[in-house]
Amino acid sequence: LLHKLAQREFGPMAAGTVGVSEAQIDQLEAIVDHLRKNAPLFRALILSFIFQDVGRIPALRDKYKEEINPADLAYNSALFLGKERIPERHGLNEQAKAYLIFLVRHHGLLHHIIRGEISLFALKDILELKQERSDMFDAFFLLSFIVLSAIREDLILEDLADWLFAIRSLCHRVMAGETSFESEFEKIFLDRGSLFFALEE
C-alpha cells in the first residue's frame, strides 16, 4: 500500500523500500497454503498470535513468581500455557498443544537475532526437531515475520524481508542436509577476514 501511494505521488520509479514486495507476499501466501494442510499446526499458529504475550499477565506472574524468568516473556508465556492448561481449554490435542507451546516459546527469537542480541546459531536448536521440522520451522518463520511487522509498520523493509527469506532458505538447506551452519559461518568469517586484511592494506 505504501509503495502504491509513493508511486501515485512520485511516479512509477518510486522505490518500494518500506514494507514487503508483492513477490514476498506471494511467498508468504504459499507458506500459509502449505501449512493449512496440517490442521493441528495451523490452529496452533493462529492461537500463538493470541497467547504469545500471556507471560505479561500480572496475576500469573505473581502466581508463578518462583518459576518464571522476569526477563524472558516468551519463556513465561510458554510456562503459563502449560501450567494453566490453556491449550486443553481451547480443544487442542497433545500434538497441537506441543506446537502451540513451541511457537509461543520461540516467537521473539528472530527479533532478538535481528537486533544482534542473539547469534543466528540459536536457530540450530529449532532445526534439530525430529518431527515435521520443515513445517514447524515455516510456522515459526511466519509467526516471527508477522510479529516483526506488527511491532511497527516501517520495521519490515523490503531488504530486511529479503534477509529473512534468505535465513529461511539457509535453514531449509540445513534441514535437507545440503549444508550446515558451521560451513556457512566459515564462509562469512573468511569474507570478513579478507575485508579486514584489505582494509589494513
Side-chain angles (χ1 to χ4, degrees), residues 2 31 37-38 55 78 111 115 134 144 160 180:
L2 289 171
I31 294 170
K37 296 170 187 171
N38 185 338
H111 186 212
R115 288 168 57 99
S134 177
S144 302
L160 175 58
S180 67

Side-chain angles (χ1 to χ4, degrees), residues 52-123:
Q52 64 182 341
D53 283 333
V54 75
R56 297 180 187 273
I57 298 173
L60 292 176
R61 289 176 70 87
D62 190 53
K63 182 177 179 180
Y64 298 106
K65 61 185 173 186
E66 300 299 325
E67 300 175 60
I68 66 169
N69 177 350
D72 192 340
L73 289 171
Y75 171 82
N76 297 339
S77 295
L79 175 75
F80 296 164
L81 286 175
K83 293 281 187 182
E84 294 291 310
R85 299 180 57 79
I86 293 171
E88 290 87 346
R89 285 194 266 158
H90 287 270
L92 270 61
N93 60 26
E94 284 301 312
Q95 187 182 32
K97 174 185 173 182
Y99 290 148
L100 176 61
I101 290 174
F102 170 84
L103 291 170
V104 168
R105 174 68 187 95
H106 298 288
H107 78 272
L109 184 58
L110 263 185
H111 186 212
H112 291 301
I113 289 170
I114 287 169
R115 288 168 57 99
E117 298 167 352
I118 299 176
S119 166
L120 195 61
F121 257 101
L123 290 174

Side-chain angles (χ1 to χ4, degrees), residues 28-44:
L28 292 170
E29 287 178 348
I31 294 170
V32 171
D33 286 340
H34 176 75
L35 291 178
R36 268 191 195 152
K37 296 170 187 171
N38 185 338
L41 179 56
F42 195 70
R43 180 115 193 272

Side-chain angles (χ1 to χ4, degrees), residues 124 127 133 168-182 184:
K124 199 173 176 185
L127 302 187
R133 62 184 186 162
R168 176 180 178 258
S169 176
L170 168 63
C171 290
H172 274 278
R173 286 189 290 120
V174 169
M175 287 185 284
E178 296 170 10
T179 187
S180 67
F181 271 117
E182 289 77 7
E184 293 298 322

